[in-house]
Amino acid sequence: MSENAKSVTIIMIEDDEGHARLIEKNIRRAGVNNEIVPFASGTEALTFLFGPDGSGDISAGRSLLILLDLNLPDMTGIEILEKVKANPHTRRTPVVVLTTTDDTREIQRCYDLGANVYITKPVNYEGFANAIRQLGLFFSVMQVPETA
């Protein structure tokens, strides 16, 4: 992994603690050692991404990658995706949607809004673990664009 890729911080927005642990474990198993910052609610994640003033200036120059669940207790992942892609400081941030929703309209909507990857969480543990391991391998070769 290049030096540049190492500095990427993974923002995991996932309210299910079991899924969050599983995701982290399998990203680590794939050899990705980047910092993972977990959030159980959209509100906390947006405060981290946009700062207390909501401007997003706090994320200028940050190299981030967002793992986003669509089903959160306080707002939808779609709302978070829209906000991330609408902000000049975060619009280039890669977003990986990781959710149980496999509705084709929902998937298309996420891509239309700028999601980079959409992964449906398989119901069984092995399938989910395998999908996350593959995602980890993808992270290890992916280049995150510099923020303007």
Side-chain angles (χ1 to χ4, degrees):
M1 193 184 320
S2 72
E3 246 344 278
N4 187 32
K6 269 200 179 97
S7 64
V8 174
T9 301
I10 298 170
I11 306 302
M12 178 171 49
I13 309 171
E14 168 63 72
D15 65 316
D16 182 311
E17 205 177 306
H19 284 174
R21 278 198 304 271
L22 185 62
I23 291 165
E24 182 158 2
K25 185 171 115 183
N26 284 289
I27 286 174
R28 298 293 179 227
R29 198 181 281 170
V32 176
N33 297 313
N34 302 49
E35 180 185 7
I36 297 175
V37 183
F39 294 99
S41 80
T43 307
E44 293 171 1
L46 289 176
T47 301
F48 176 85
L49 291 168
F50 299 126
D53 66 354
S55 69
D57 290 347
I58 196 166
S59 286
R62 278 180 175 168
S63 291
L64 303 173
L65 184 138
I66 299 172
L67 292 180
L68 178 62
D69 184 13
L70 292 185
N71 307 306
L72 297 164
D74 56 341
M75 65 180 67
T76 69
I78 296 277
E79 292 172 276
I80 295 169
L81 181 59
E82 286 174 330
K83 286 179 166 71
V84 166
K85 294 302 179 178
N87 187 286
H89 301 294
T90 57
R91 72 171 182 262
R92 289 194 184 128
T93 300
V95 176
V96 176
V97 175
L98 211 59
T99 190
T100 50
T101 309
D102 66 354
D103 178 282
T104 49
R105 288 180 314 251
E106 193 82 334
I107 295 168
Q108 190 57 56
R109 187 159 178 225
C110 286
Y111 281 124
D112 289 347
L113 289 170
N116 297 72
V117 181
Y118 189 107
I119 296 175
T120 304
K121 293 179 193 171
V123 218
N124 69 344
Y125 176 91
E126 227 7 82
F128 187 42
N130 195 37
I132 299 300
R133 271 197 295 278
Q134 290 172 355
L135 186 61
L137 297 171
F138 170 69
F139 289 167
S140 67
V141 297
M142 190 174 117
Q143 294 296 307
V144 174
E146 294 298 313
T147 50

